Each structure stands twice: as C-alpha cells, then as structure tokens.
Amino acid sequence: MVKDIEGRTAFITGGANGIGLGIARAFARAGAKIALADVDLAGLGRAAAELSDITQVSTIVLDVRDRAAYVRAADDAEARLGPVSLLFNNAGVGGETPVEKLSFELWDWSLGINLQGVINGVQIFMPRMVARGRGGHIVNTASAAGLAASGAGVLYHTAKYAVVGMAESLALELEPFGIGVSALCPGPVATDIVRRSHMQQPAADLRADQIEAADAKRVRMSKWLAKGASPEAVGDLVLGAVRENRLYIHTDRWIAPFVEARAATLLASMPVSPPEGR
Ligand SMILES: NC(=O)c1ccc[n+]([C@@H]2O[C@H](COP(=O)([O-])OP(=O)(O)OC[C@H]3O[C@@H](n4cnc5c(N)ncnc54)[C@H](O)[C@@H]3O)[C@@H](O)[C@H]2O)c1
C-alpha cells in the first residue's frame, strides 16, 4: 500500500484538463512530482504554470495510442522526475454515434484511446515498477459505464468494461509486488469531455436527422455533466483511495440500479445445477 505519496513521481495521461488535472492537483498538494502527458499542448502549458508553484512538473505531448512515443515519454519523465511509481491511465474520449453508423475507424479511435492507451501505460510502466521493488499504485480511469450498460454507447461501454476488468485482475496479480490497482468509475463529472471528444471524433456518415439528434444529445450530456462532481473533488477522492488501496473509486451511486439489475440478471441466468452428462 502506498502511504508515502510525498517524493514519488506520478505519470498522468489526459492530465492537461478535467479529471486528470484534478488528480494532478491533489497529488501535487500531497507532495508528488507530476508528469503530465496529453495531446493538448496549450492545456499542458496552463497546467504546468499552475502546478509548478506547488511541485516539480514535467509535461509532454503524447497521443496514448502511439506506443513508441509513449516509451519515449516514459523515459523522458523518469529522467526529469525520477522513477514513476504512481500511474494514472486517465486519457479518454466519449463520443456519440448511432449504432447503425459505426465504422471500424470509430471502433479503432474509441478503443485505441480508451482501452489500448490504458494497456500501453500498464505495459510500459508496470515492468519498471515491479523491477524496482518500491511498490506503487496504478489507477485506471474507467467510468460508471464500465459497470453496466446504461446508454453511453457501445464503443464507450466496451472499452470501459475492459478497463474495469483489467484493473480487477491486475489488482490480484500485482498485490504480491506491493502495487495497488484501482478502477476509477465516475458518474457525471463537470468537464469539457463532450466538446473535446466531438472535436476529435472521426466523422460518421450521418443523415440530417441523425446529426440533429446527436447535437441535441451532446447538449443534454453537457448539461448533465455540468451538474456532476468537480474534477477537484474527484482528485481528492482518488488520493484517498490510493492511500487506502481501494479497488473501486466511485463518485456517486447513479449507476447502482443498473448494477443491481445486471447482477440480478446474471445470477438468474446461471443454472442451479450443472448440465447433465458432465
Ligand atoms: N467527465 C465525466 O463525466 C466522466 C465520467 C466517467 C468517466 N470519465 C473518464 O474520465 C477520463 C477523463 O475525462 P474528462 O472528463 O476529464 O475529460 P477531458 O476531456 O476534460 O480530459 C481528457 C483529457 O484527455 C486528453 N486526451 C484525449 N485523447 C487523448 C489521447 N489520444 N492521448 C492523450 N491524451 C488525450 C484530452 O486532451 C484531455 O486533456 C476519461 O477516461 C473519461 O472517459 C469521465
């Protein structure tokens, strides 16, 4: 369990804005050195200007899908700030596409960032953390959408379920190495993810009525998120959860009825006794 946050180095993807920046603020105040990786150069500049008043900060422009660049970013961060033992696989995108208009390009975009980006972070830093033997903690930002299908779209649900599954299994396998793992499963958080995701989402071949419906859904989503938790509150929650080595980090209970229904359906689907002939 990581109780000594002070002096450790944290590597945070998607750290220029939103939840990643909230996590950076909380860990900077707790005395960690902060490496931020993001595609948003201007956001990185703003974050660095703010955080460097509190702690040592290093920033790098990185698309988490780019494995070679990710290795270079990891080497660079460790050369500047020392060995990374706190890893936050947080970069992510939302996106709205009617299911009949999905394409391989959209699957690759969404799963590339939301899942492969997390795999890249784990696969690059985990062996280093294990080899150094100083323990550490990995937080995968999933979503409440990783716990039950609840209308966030098949791309997002698929990636976030996988991220939760990865955290659950990694937590078991990394425990002997003193490395804790958490799945951050926020409900609504007041960030600009809807707009940011829309700006970089590959185009889909939508009809006029579908464009109108998607626009309206984005407006509804943005309003809903604006009423959610603040990124700062989420950062503080994550800090507490890392200190206590908690597997799941929730911001609220809105997904609870969906989880209950899913668990009930799953359990009810299981046979009472094994099939005959085994
Ligand atoms: N906001 C919410 O309500 C909410 C709820 C549940 C889960 N999440 C998850 O939280 C994480 C952070 O989201 P947020 O709400 O803070 O959004 P955000 O848009 O404010 O922050 C996401 C950051 O990731 C960066 N990013 C996007 N694509 C990238 C890439 N390919 N490589 C590197 N960086 C990239 C963006 O530039 C941005 O700085 C995401 O994984 C998201 O799915 C958000």
Side-chain angles (χ1 to χ4, degrees):
M1 216 189 312
V2 172
K3 293 221 178 261
D4 54 331
I5 303 293
E6 191 163 1
R8 287 185 180 262
T9 300
F11 189 95
I12 307 171
T13 68
N17 299 286
I19 293 172
L21 183 54
I23 293 171
R25 286 177 177 136
F27 280 76
R29 282 196 302 269
K33 295 172 273 182
I34 304 290
L36 300 177
D38 204 294
V39 287
D40 178 0
L41 175 63
L44 283 173
R46 284 192 298 272
E50 175 193 328
L51 294 170
S52 55
D53 283 346
I54 314 173
T55 188
Q56 259 180 279
V57 182
S58 162
T59 61
I60 191 148
V61 174
L62 171 70
D63 185 328
V64 290
R65 292 172 289 184
D66 183 341
R67 282 189 184 145
Y70 204 142
V71 173
R72 289 195 298 276
D75 291 344
D76 180 77
E78 295 198 320
R80 288 168 194 267
L81 301 180
V84 168
S85 60
L86 301 168
L87 172 63
F88 300 90
N89 295 304
N90 169 79
V93 285
E96 274 309 326
T97 309
V99 71
E100 72 274 25
K101 293 291 185 176
L102 291 179
S103 61
F104 282 122
E105 195 187 4
L106 279 160
W107 279 102
D108 289 346
W109 172 71
S110 178
L111 270 76
I113 298 170
N114 290 332
L115 176 57
Q116 191 64 55
V118 178
I119 294 170
N120 291 346
V122 166
Q123 194 52 50
I124 288 165
F125 281 111
M126 178 189 62
R128 301 180 188 207
M129 288 163 73
V130 168
R132 287 170 185 143
R134 281 193 60 226
H137 203 100
I138 299 173
V139 177
N140 286 349
T141 302
S143 168
L147 302 172
S150 48
V154 65
L155 302 180
Y156 196 70
H157 281 298
T158 302
K160 296 300 188 179
Y161 264 68
V163 169
V164 171
M166 192 202 306
E168 288 173 346
S169 51
L170 269 181
L172 293 176
E173 295 188 42
L174 288 177
E175 205 254 324
F177 300 100
I179 299 170
V181 183
S182 303
L184 172 57
C185 303
V189 182
T191 73
D192 211 7
I193 188 170
V194 174
R195 185 190 60 83
R196 241 188 295 279
S197 302
H198 181 58
M199 290 197 359
Q200 60 151 296
Q201 176 172 347
D205 180 23
L206 301 186
R207 297 186 311 266
D209 62 310
Q210 290 173 319
I211 293 174
E212 211 173 296
D215 287 348
K217 194 161 182 189
R218 273 199 307 283
V219 171
R220 279 200 307 279
M221 270 297 277
S222 300
K223 284 186 181 160
W224 186 57
L225 297 193
K227 290 189 210 140
S230 73
E232 287 64 42
V234 180
D236 290 339
L237 263 181
V238 171
L239 177 62
V242 168
R243 284 191 165 129
E244 292 169 15
N245 192 21
R246 291 210 306 271
L247 176 55
Y248 302 110
I249 312 172
H250 303 286
T251 56
D252 57 58
R253 296 187 64 84
W254 87 267
I255 198 71
F258 294 90
V259 172
E260 279 167 16
R262 175 171 185 260
T265 308
L266 268 173
L267 294 170
S269 314
M270 292 175 191
V272 179
S273 53
E276 304 243 327
R278 258 190 12 174

